[in-house]
Amino acid sequence: MVEPLIFEYHANGGRSFTVKAPEASNLPEQFLRKSKPALPSVSELQVVRHYTRLSQLNFSIDTHFYPLGSCTMKYNPKACNSLAMLPELLSRHPLAPDQFSQGTLECLYELQEMLQQATGMSGVSLTPMAGAQGELAGVAMIQAYHKARNDHERNEIIVPDAAHGTNPATATMCGCKVVEIPTCADGDLDINALKAAVGPKTAGIMLTNPSTLGVFERQIEEIAAIVHAAGGLLYYDGANLNAILGRTSPGAMGFDVVHLNLHKTFSTPHGGGGPGSGAVGVSERLRPYLPIPLVIKTASGYSWAAEKDCPDSIGRLSAFMGNVGVLLRAYIYMRMLGGEGMRRVSEYAVLNANYIMVCLDAAGFTIAFAERRASHEFIISVKQITRETGISAMDFAKAILD
Amino acid sequence: MPFIPHTSDDLSAMLKRIGADTLDDLFDEIPANLTMQSIQGAPEGMSESEISSLMHERADTDGRPVCFMGAGAYDHFVPAAVWQLTTRGEFYSAYTPYQAEASQGTLQVIYEYQTMMASLTGLDISNASLYDGATAFAEACLMAVRANRKSKSRKILVPRTVHPYYREVAFNIVRGQNIELVDLPMLDGVTDIAALAEHAGQDFAAVVIQQPNFFGSLEQVDALTNWAHAEAALVIAVANPLALSLLTPPGEWGEAGADVACGEGQPLGVPMSSGGPFYGYMVCRKNIVRQMPGRIVGRTVDVDGKPGFTLTLQAREQHIRRSRATSNICTNQGLMVTASTIYMALLGNEGLRRVALASHENTRQLIEDLCAIQGISRAFTSPVFHEAVLLLDRPVAPVLDALAATGILGGVDLSEFYPELGNALLVCATETRTPKHIGQYVAAMKAVFTIEEVRQHG
């Protein structure tokens, strides 16, 4: 079915919604637009039918099984949306004074605390607006840390070759040099390559654990020791936190900074590609550098800490305080689950992945790391099938979609 | 169990098939000394009715003051259809549209959005959106440095009339790439054209123009654009897209038009929501599209000749180019763009123009009435869209506190952002501020000033 463009609908001169307005402004002619923009001119019913039909052309969690690796597609509870859209919360101006903000601030403060607990970190900033911005904040904090110690030569970020494309792109955006290191046949990092890569220029390493290959990096303590001994810091990409939530934490593994994709682990909507939210957590030594604003609790209530209170901060990364509406959805989700529920969603995600892995193995597919446990995802190799029949991984993916 | 469909029979059967005795076994690759039994300190779970009561209480605590604040987030009316459609599960719970055949709905929405934004800004190609206005501005700075082939400079001229938070965010994002943002001075609330002479003949990559600027004032966009182009610099427009239904679009500024337009999409159907999620828009001229960050959706035909939509020009992006990508951004603000597209489709040209006109008129009325109070005057003479700076004869903060006590958010105190302006207050009245609201504000302000008079003279 092909739905025409909204511009192709019969123009009937617009809809009933109009606001009382003067015919023209008193602005000088030189500032005014001479040409009309080409916006649609249709009725509300046409708009409703058109966008309802378009929505039906999507594949979504609410309509389909969504076994997509790397993206943690989980159910988005309806209460998270409806409660985050209460009129008072939606109409709150970002610069509203504290007396009209205590409800929102209390939620955000508690969210900071819960994320801190779940990651084993000592401080959290909620402001990054997506995972990639959380990464930017994380690398900028690592740079600020080295700079404060007059350690100016450290501009290399180590990234495993299997890492998500944003990791190297972020390092470059921060002005760092990317050093890629290989992964071993069993899915763990090549420790010798790491040892050879670290040195006085190492700013840090960016890792996900479980990795993008779907397995838990078993040598994580040794990796942490090597990088720390070389003077570098460890960055945890939270893309796969869902697989270990409540079982271990980035803090326990020795990471210094972590970004979380709230739209993955904490079930805020993917929304057809955003808005995301990329809160960052840090160990004690990086706390002064957290991006602002932060929510703080004082004797007189909750308030924002910004430029004046956090002089060493890497600064502001959004016009206001990040994607608050998304943060509220994550808050509601975490409060509904509680500590026990968070651990449970992780257990069942890992159960499902291991179950499907075993079933596909039995069906004759080659599991990339068959000797390993799956995390919340795993990789199938169709190399042999491709060699024998010409049918590629892409063909399988598309056939499953069909 | 909340949100988990498995029965206990499912659980045992699945564990058996896997060859594990317990769920704990599935985590046996995590070194034992790293494991934890629970999330220390995390609260217990709540039922939906409990969390519902809690959130209603918290929302009540915030209340609903009457808002005369702007400064980059505006209280516009959003028709019911916008968010009822946007929060349909098929939009809300869809993944990012990498797989075109599973995402035709979202892709077509974005394509329509891009078409609307190109038309509104008078430029050629829109991307699918960025995080917010401030980060879109930062990305536009990075883009301009890459795109200006005539200049090797990493310098960008940024007037002090640009939103202070936008300048701060841009600085934080571009400094990693050694890009320098140079302040341009202001005069009477707009960029000081005479002061440009100081930079004439020097090498810089771009000049920024915000329209309307942070103070709500209208900049001399034609003169600024022509000057920048004569200096071989690109022009970055930062514009309120709603205002563009009324004001000259960036693509028509001066002789040749701006090269890139960007800004905050929030005024088009997105609630203020404490400052986010919003979305940043970005539109550019065709000749520099390969330097544009973010996703772009294109229209194409499939193997059977049927029309369809897909992400295009992806060779710019991080999932292909990794460390050589135009940006590290891999998301857009899909859901917010969906809301804006529906908002623009509902209102059309005329609806959008009326919102802009009504906001302009309400602000004009508010300023006129407030300036009739002794001790309050306009800070600048330049024409404004729907925001203006007032000068008070006393510190702003206590006045705002007194107004807040009557349930009115009287505006944004500029004394920290612009100490040189003195007791300056930025006010805004959108189309949602009724004559009654404006009357309340003026009466409350009069009361504040009268009581102060009495106290001072008594």
Side-chain angles (χ1 to χ4, degrees):
Chain A
M1 185 189 75
V2 175
E3 174 67 16
L5 290 169
I6 188 76
F7 310 101
E8 295 167 326
Y9 273 77
H10 174 65
N12 62 11
R15 60 179 234 107
S16 53
F17 166 75
T18 46
V19 58
K20 275 186 206 156
E23 284 302 309
S25 72
N26 60 356
L27 290 170
E29 196 62 26
Q30 65 176 114
F31 294 110
L32 298 179
R33 179 167 194 134
K34 311 290 182 291
S35 61
K36 274 190 179 178
L39 295 182
S41 182
V42 290
S43 71
E44 176 166 334
L45 177 59
Q46 285 171 304
V47 168
V48 168
R49 284 195 181 142
H50 174 68
Y51 290 102
T52 301
R53 284 183 195 139
L54 285 188
S55 77
Q56 291 167 340
L57 301 180
N58 270 359
F59 189 99
S60 71
I61 297 171
D62 280 8
T63 51
H64 299 81
F65 174 41
Y66 220 131
L68 190 60
S70 107
C71 306
T72 314
M73 299 298 289
K74 55 167 81 175
Y75 174 61
N76 307 143
K78 299 297 173 192
C80 299
N81 184 48
S82 63
L83 295 175
M85 292 188 80
L86 292 174
E88 293 83 356
L89 302 177
L90 285 188
S91 64
R92 185 180 167 278
H93 191 280
L95 304 176
D98 291 348
Q99 74 212 78
F100 295 106
S101 313
Q102 290 302 300
T104 298
L105 290 176
E106 189 170 4
C107 293
L108 297 181
Y109 183 81
E110 289 173 1
L111 178 62
Q112 286 177 179
E113 300 263 288
M114 288 192 289
L115 292 175
Q116 224 166 283
Q117 292 153 357
T119 54
M121 290 284 153
S122 3
V124 162
S125 167
L126 302 172
T127 61
M129 290 177 286
Q133 210 188 33
E135 288 184 34
L136 186 86
V139 174
M141 284 189 276
I142 290 174
Q143 287 177 311
Y145 169 82
H146 291 311
K147 196 176 159 200
R149 293 157 50 92
N150 290 317
D151 207 349
H152 297 294
E153 296 304 304
R154 296 191 180 273
N155 72 335
E156 289 182 359
I157 294 283
I158 300 172
V159 176
D161 56 3
H164 193 275
T166 49
N167 291 171
T170 299
T172 304
M173 259 195 102
C174 292
C176 292
K177 193 176 152 234
V178 178
V179 179
E180 284 204 340
I181 54 168
T183 310
C184 298
D186 63 1
D188 285 340
L189 203 68
D190 184 336
I191 285 282
N192 289 326
L194 175 66
K195 283 180 183 158
V198 297
K201 287 193 164 180
T202 303
I205 183 169
M206 297 177 89
L207 286 177
T208 58
N209 196 15
S211 74
T212 304
L213 302 177
V215 293
F216 189 86
E217 173 57 64
R218 293 168 293 191
Q219 319 160 97
I220 185 60
E221 290 167 285
E222 194 183 350
I223 292 169
I226 293 167
V227 174
H228 281 149
L233 298 182
L234 278 85
Y235 180 96
Y236 182 86
D237 179 327
N240 295 324
L241 182 71
N242 191 53
I244 56 163
L245 197 58
R247 285 280 163 180
T248 181
S249 71
M253 290 187 256
F255 284 92
D256 300 283
V257 51
V258 43
H259 92 258
L260 302 166
N261 302 91
L262 299 184
H263 51 284
K264 295 182 178 176
T265 311
F266 300 106
S267 197
T268 65
H270 280 259
S277 186
V280 286
V282 291
S283 60
E284 199 56 44
R285 57 180 156 185
L286 289 181
R287 266 180 77 132
Y289 311 111
L290 279 170
I292 49 173
L294 308 169
V295 185
I296 53 171
K297 189 179 179 179
T298 65
S300 56
Y302 298 92
S303 59
W304 294 106
E307 285 82 354
K308 273 187 287 183
D309 316 279
C310 312
D312 296 322
S313 164
I314 59 161
R316 207 171 270 277
L317 296 174
S318 68
F320 298 108
M321 37 288 292
N323 288 338
V324 175
V326 178
L327 298 169
L328 291 174
R329 283 167 174 80
Y331 171 75
I332 296 161
Y333 179 74
M334 292 177 87
R335 289 302 304 267
M336 279 200 281
L337 288 182
E340 199 191 330
M342 287 188 248
R343 191 174 146 98
R344 190 166 52 227
V345 293
S346 176
E347 288 171 347
Y348 279 80
V350 172
L351 172 74
N352 285 343
N354 277 283
Y355 177 74
I356 301 174
M357 183 171 83
V358 169
C359 295
L360 289 175
D361 187 22
F365 288 93
T366 307
I367 306 300
F369 305 101
E371 304 307 310
R372 307 286 309 267
R373 289 279 187 211
S375 59
H376 62 158
E377 58 189 358
F378 60 94
I379 296 177
I380 304 166
S381 170
V382 296
K383 257 188 205 154
Q384 193 165 346
I385 300 175
T386 307
R387 215 166 20 236
E388 289 165 6
T389 66
I391 298 169
S392 68
M394 183 66 86
D395 294 328
F396 272 100
K398 297 303 181 193
I400 292 168
L401 255 181
D402 287 346
Chain B
M1 292 178 293
F3 318 127
I4 293 174
H6 301 61
T7 64
S8 56
D9 287 348
D10 291 336
L11 174 61
S12 345
M14 289 168 83
L15 283 173
K16 192 172 169 208
R17 181 78 195 262
I18 294 166
D21 295 328
T22 64
L23 283 167
D24 285 346
D25 290 354
L26 303 178
F27 297 88
D28 55 10
E29 289 192 0
I30 301 177
N33 56 320
L34 302 184
T35 58
M36 57 197 206
Q37 297 311 309
S38 65
I39 299 173
Q40 283 296 315
E44 276 188 30
M46 295 173 98
S47 67
E48 184 173 332
S49 75
E50 286 170 321
I51 187 74
S52 177
S53 306
L54 180 75
M55 291 310 292
H56 276 94
E57 268 170 41
R58 299 255 168 108
D60 288 346
T61 309
D62 284 358
R64 294 195 74 173
V66 183
C67 182
F68 289 93
M69 299 176 106
Y74 302 101
D75 190 12
H76 292 294
F77 180 75
V78 183
V82 173
W83 282 90
Q84 282 195 24
L85 289 165
T86 302
T87 53
R88 283 179 65 90
E90 298 94 326
F91 285 135
Y92 189 82
S93 74
Y95 183 55
T96 199
Y98 286 135
Q99 305 193 70
E101 61 274 59
S103 319
Q104 283 301 298
T106 288
L107 287 166
Q108 185 169 336
V109 169
I110 296 173
Y111 183 83
E112 292 181 359
Y113 158 80
Q114 291 174 177
T115 310
M116 291 177 189
M117 293 312 289
S119 176
L120 211 48
T121 55
L123 286 164
D124 302 325
I125 300 174
S126 166
N127 73 7
S129 77
L130 299 158
Y131 303 141
D132 73 350
T135 51
F137 170 53
E139 290 285 343
C141 292
L142 294 171
M143 176 181 174
V145 168
R146 288 192 301 268
N148 192 339
R149 297 278 157 89
K150 292 182 196 151
S151 163
K152 287 209 158 51
S153 170
R154 299 181 79 76
K155 228 191 266 179
I156 294 180
L157 306 187
V158 187
R160 274 182 59 72
T161 56
V162 171
H163 197 307
Y165 284 159
Y166 283 32
R167 286 184 280 137
E168 195 178 327
V169 169
F171 171 77
N172 292 334
I173 291 176
V174 307
R175 68 179 159 193
Q177 300 187 34
N178 297 317
I179 291 171
E180 191 189 348
L181 305 178
V182 181
D183 267 8
L184 285 178
M186 59 190 196
L187 182 70
D188 193 27
V190 292
T191 308
D192 183 355
I193 302 236
L196 295 175
E198 190 192 320
H199 298 277
Q202 294 173 11
D203 192 14
F204 43 89
V207 177
V208 177
I209 308 169
Q210 185 173 13
Q211 182 78 328
N213 68 25
F214 178 66
F215 305 125
S217 300
L218 299 185
E219 295 275 358
Q220 299 291 332
V221 291
D222 298 325
L224 287 165
T225 302
N226 290 340
W227 179 81
H229 282 151
E231 297 289 329
L234 297 185
V235 171
I236 300 172
V238 182
N240 177 337
L242 176 70
L244 295 182
S245 64
L246 204 58
L247 304 178
T248 309
E252 294 172 18
W253 291 358
E255 296 295 317
D259 300 279
V260 189
C262 62
E264 180 52 71
Q266 181 270 334
L268 302 174
V270 178
M272 293 195 288
S273 188
S274 297
F278 291 176
Y279 72 92
Y281 78 85
M282 185 183 279
V283 196
C284 74
R285 294 203 171 279
K286 202 171 174 180
N287 62 330
I288 52 175
V289 65
R290 282 181 194 279
Q291 298 305 331
M292 182 136 82
R295 292 178 187 150
I296 302 172
V297 173
R299 195 181 193 188
T300 184
V301 287
D302 70 8
V303 288
D304 302 320
K306 282 193 298 185
F309 301 88
T310 184
L311 294 177
T312 186
L313 297 174
Q314 292 187 77
R316 301 163 298 114
E317 294 190 68
Q318 48 73 30
H319 63 280
I320 311 271
R321 292 200 84 185
R322 297 177 72 86
S323 65
R324 291 176 301 122
T326 51
S327 166
N328 71 333
I329 293 179
C330 70
T331 187
N332 61 9
Q333 300 280 98
L335 206 62
M336 316 327 284
V337 161
T338 304
S340 265
T341 308
I342 297 169
Y343 178 83
M344 288 189 275
L346 275 173
L347 270 70
N349 281 336
E350 189 49 29
L352 224 53
R353 205 177 111 83
R354 290 176 80 100
V355 172
L357 282 169
S359 302
H360 174 71
E361 171 59 19
N362 284 349
T363 301
R364 191 200 60 74
Q365 188 66 54
L366 176 71
I367 298 166
E368 188 182 304
D369 293 355
L370 287 176
C371 287
I373 300 171
Q374 190 161 11
I376 302 179
S377 59
R378 283 280 309 275
F380 311 122
T381 60
S382 45
V384 299
F385 171 52
H386 71 352
E387 261 176 299
V389 181
L390 301 178
L391 283 184
L392 310 189
D393 64 358
R394 62 201 73 190
V396 176
V399 173
L400 287 179
D401 286 347
L403 291 171
T406 70
I408 291 169
L409 301 184
V412 177
D413 182 357
L414 297 187
S415 45
E416 272 182 40
F417 295 125
Y418 296 93
E420 70 268 36
L421 294 180
N423 300 322
L425 171 66
L426 181 66
V427 296
C428 169
T430 65
E431 89 284 9
T432 58
R433 292 294 78 88
T434 61
K436 193 177 143 203
H437 290 145
I438 293 172
Q440 277 173 355
Y441 185 3
V442 174
M445 192 66 121
K446 267 185 193 153
V448 173
F449 274 66
T450 315
I451 292 163
E452 284 294 306
E453 291 298 316
V454 172
R455 198 168 59 79
Q456 278 167 17
H457 298 290

